[in-house]
Amino acid sequence: AWSYGPVTAVGGELSMLVRLPVLDGALHAGLNLGVLEGLAAASSATFLQHRSLPVMAEVAWRPLLLSDVGLHVGVDGGLVVTDVAVARDDVDDGRIGADDQRELRTIEPALGGAAVVGVCYRAGPGFLELDLRAGYAVPVGPTPLVDGSPWGAGLSLGYRFGI
């Protein structure tokens, strides 16, 4: 789950990290791809759809603390593309209803970055991992349709083969 500005979203993430031959193999680099579907928004507009697609490169330090417990500390950066559709109050009666037919839709690109901190536990051939991400995004297109803070935070639970 992620919260970015006025939107709370949930979705999936594919993370591919490769161990680099430095720092005894504790340094990793890779790519994160996500699909986040907006659940709720607090705005003057009513969201019909809010979908974000983050594509981030990541560098992470992943040392083993114990034989079965590891740490994940990293940074990532890249592009976040958001597909937004909203309905607005056309009639100016203070509420969104059947009399409001106008829909605004836009694709909003942004440059983003995040810090990542997590812990992982060995389970079978890989690790069960819980990560906390906090980041910031700067829109690079025209005036954004979504109002609110560009800060976001997220919690992810996943399984990573190997470390």
Side-chain angles (χ1 to χ4, degrees):
W2 276 88
S3 176
Y4 173 71
V7 179
T8 298
V10 74
E13 177 183 82
L14 178 61
S15 177
M16 301 160 284
L17 294 178
V18 175
R19 189 180 337 207
L20 300 176
V22 294
L23 297 174
D24 292 330
L27 192 63
H28 292 69
L31 185 66
N32 290 323
L33 308 171
V35 177
L36 301 169
E37 187 67 38
L39 298 177
S43 175
S44 60
T46 298
F47 282 82
L48 302 175
Q49 171 185 306
H50 190 286
R51 182 175 297 128
S52 295
L53 306 167
V55 179
M56 303 282 194
E58 181 175 348
V59 175
W61 179 55
R62 298 177 50 83
L64 282 175
L65 302 176
L66 303 170
S67 62
D68 290 336
V69 178
L71 180 66
H72 179 133
V73 178
V75 293
D76 59 17
L79 181 66
V80 180
V81 177
T82 303
D83 181 3
V84 181
V86 298
R88 299 242 184 222
D89 184 11
D90 282 347
V91 182
D92 291 329
D93 58 2
R95 60 184 164 73
I96 304 293
D99 57 353
D100 301 307
Q101 300 299 318
R102 187 173 60 149
E103 177 182 317
L104 301 173
R105 186 168 183 197
T106 185
I107 304 293
E108 297 179 357
L111 296 177
V116 184
V117 176
V119 63
C120 52
Y121 179 77
R122 187 180 309 274
F127 285 81
L128 187 61
E129 186 168 320
L130 181 65
D131 288 336
L132 174 64
R133 296 178 182 269
Y136 184 83
V138 178
V140 293
T143 305
L145 189 59
V146 178
D147 300 328
S149 169
W151 290 96
L155 189 63
S156 62
L157 176 65
Y159 189 79
R160 190 178 302 275
F161 291 94
I163 183 166

